[in-house]
Amino acid sequence: MFRVSTFGTHELSVFNAMQTQKRLQDGQIAAVTGFKSQDYAGFNVDTRRLLSMESTVARIDSYQRNIETTERRLKAMETNVAQLHDIASEANKLLVNALNANDGEDLQLHVRAEKMLEQVAGLLNLKHEERYLFAGARTDVEPVDLTAYDPTDPAYNPADPTTANAGYYNGDTAVLSGRVDESMTLEYGITAAEGSFENLIRGLQLAVNGGVPGSLDRATLEQSLDLIGDAVRDIPDVRGQIGANLSTLEAVKDKHAQLKIYADETIVDTEQADVAAIMTQVTADQVLLETSYTVTSRLSQLSLANFLR
């Protein structure tokens, strides 16, 4: 029994005991799990910092996924562009030989040029992870269709055979891009209608048209040689552009990696408990709580008769 004059003291003792009990329970859980708290509220003043760092990590992970996707596409494109340059170089040598040799008709120029043209179309119709990479935004359509392509078609001004003719192209003019940082969207797309590719395709088609044995058309083959020579010169610039984009991605990726290390370390420092210190506190709270319970139990048993004995 408690008198009115001691009721407040009793309530305070009970409150303190309950707080100690809760701290003891939290400490025991923290010692087992290794975390200071099982919810954000338990981190007190560190909650905002923890939420901020977790948000930072989530954003970085999203950017890193975009970077990895973009890197895979660029590397696939770079490989094919390198092969396009090899084909252009081979075609250039073939045309030089055909124009200079007395037995040019024996080189089967039209057959070999047509084969190269098919290879070029295949390389530009690259499909990577269910997307055609050289088609602009029309990633579901093969960008190159040579079925009805004719660089001297009247629709493309036959009076000026040097006029570019990308009539083979089924894509659009959009440029692929990817968000790689909060303040950076990288444009990296190259279409099959790019100038050096158009020169190569038009030059090879002219080689097919003008390289038929028995009716070699020297003027057409010279034009073909000029176009393919331009392709040999310019395709490395396209590859260099891809390489520059890859370098940019690498730099941004390194920046994200450093920031993520800092954010992860901050999260660990905020979340993880000092188990040794917690076990010391748990032991102290156990002693305090047992003492509190003992005192409270003895006080509850006191009566006037027991006090006067």
Side-chain angles (χ1 to χ4, degrees):
M1 179 183 298
F2 298 96
R3 292 177 299 171
V4 172
S5 60
T6 62
F7 182 76
T9 302
H10 168 70
E11 288 296 297
L12 180 60
S13 298
V14 172
F15 175 78
N16 288 337
M18 292 178 65
Q19 288 295 101
T20 302
Q21 185 178 37
K22 183 179 185 309
R23 188 169 65 244
L24 175 61
Q25 291 173 342
D26 290 343
Q28 289 172 330
I29 292 173
V32 172
T33 63
F35 292 97
K36 295 176 184 177
S37 176
Q38 304 307 301
D39 55 40
Y40 288 111
F43 293 103
N44 301 319
V45 296
D46 290 329
T47 299
R48 180 175 296 180
R49 180 174 65 166
L50 178 60
L51 288 171
S52 175
M53 290 298 100
E54 288 181 341
S55 176
T56 296
V57 169
R59 286 199 308 274
I60 290 174
D61 287 342
S62 177
Y63 293 140
Q64 293 287 52
R65 285 193 294 271
N66 288 345
I67 288 173
E68 289 169 1
T69 297
T70 304
E71 278 185 327
R72 289 195 301 272
R73 292 173 183 172
L74 282 172
K75 288 177 180 178
M77 294 170 77
E78 183 180 37
T79 297
N80 282 28
V81 169
Q83 293 180 57
L84 288 171
H85 186 258
D86 291 341
I87 292 173
S89 298
E90 182 182 352
N92 190 76
K93 294 176 183 177
L94 179 61
L95 280 163
V96 169
N97 290 336
L99 287 168
N100 292 337
N102 294 326
D103 57 350
E105 294 192 357
D106 295 336
L107 294 175
Q108 294 294 308
L109 178 59
H110 71 301
V111 174
R112 295 169 68 178
E114 188 167 19
K115 183 65 175 179
M116 291 178 184
L117 196 56
E118 292 173 358
Q119 292 173 341
V120 169
L123 290 169
L124 290 174
N125 285 335
L126 168 66
K127 191 173 187 179
H128 179 77
E129 297 177 348
E130 301 305 314
R131 297 168 63 96
Y132 290 102
L133 298 186
F134 291 101
R138 298 190 67 188
T139 57
D140 60 338
V141 176
E142 284 191 348
V144 177
D145 180 7
L146 299 173
T147 305
Y149 175 65
D150 182 357
T152 61
D153 189 291
Y156 299 99
N157 190 8
D160 181 10
T162 63
T163 302
N165 173 2
Y168 59 83
Y169 184 58
N170 291 327
D172 58 23
T173 59
V175 177
L176 295 179
S177 64
R179 186 73 177 271
V180 298
D181 195 4
E182 189 171 358
S183 58
M184 179 184 291
T185 298
L186 181 70
E187 293 186 346
Y188 64 90
I190 299 169
T191 73
E194 200 278 333
S196 60
F197 301 155
E198 189 276 332
N199 282 339
L200 178 57
I201 290 175
R202 185 154 51 102
L204 286 172
Q205 185 63 62
L206 289 173
V208 172
N209 296 348
V212 179
S215 59
L216 288 182
D217 185 338
R218 187 173 186 85
T220 298
L221 294 182
E222 286 177 348
Q223 183 186 343
S224 170
L225 179 60
D226 288 342
L227 290 169
I228 292 175
D230 289 343
V232 172
R233 180 195 65 205
D234 295 337
I235 288 176
D237 292 339
V238 177
R239 190 177 181 186
Q241 179 184 340
I242 294 174
N245 284 334
L246 285 170
S247 296
T248 298
L249 290 177
E250 190 65 29
V252 175
K253 187 164 62 173
D254 288 344
K255 170 190 168 185
H256 287 324
Q258 293 300 317
L259 180 56
K260 186 174 181 182
I261 289 173
Y262 168 75
D264 285 339
E265 288 177 348
T266 301
I267 290 172
V268 169
D269 291 342
T270 304
E271 287 184 335
Q272 290 194 351
D274 184 343
V275 177
I278 286 177
M279 289 306 300
T280 300
Q281 183 64 51
V282 165
T283 300
D285 286 341
Q286 285 177 328
V287 172
L288 180 61
L289 195 59
E290 290 171 0
T291 301
S292 176
Y293 285 159
T294 299
V295 170
T296 301
S297 176
R298 289 179 179 176
L299 288 175
S300 65
Q301 295 174 4
L302 283 180
S303 64
L304 180 60
N306 291 334
F307 180 74
L308 294 175
R309 282 182 189 172

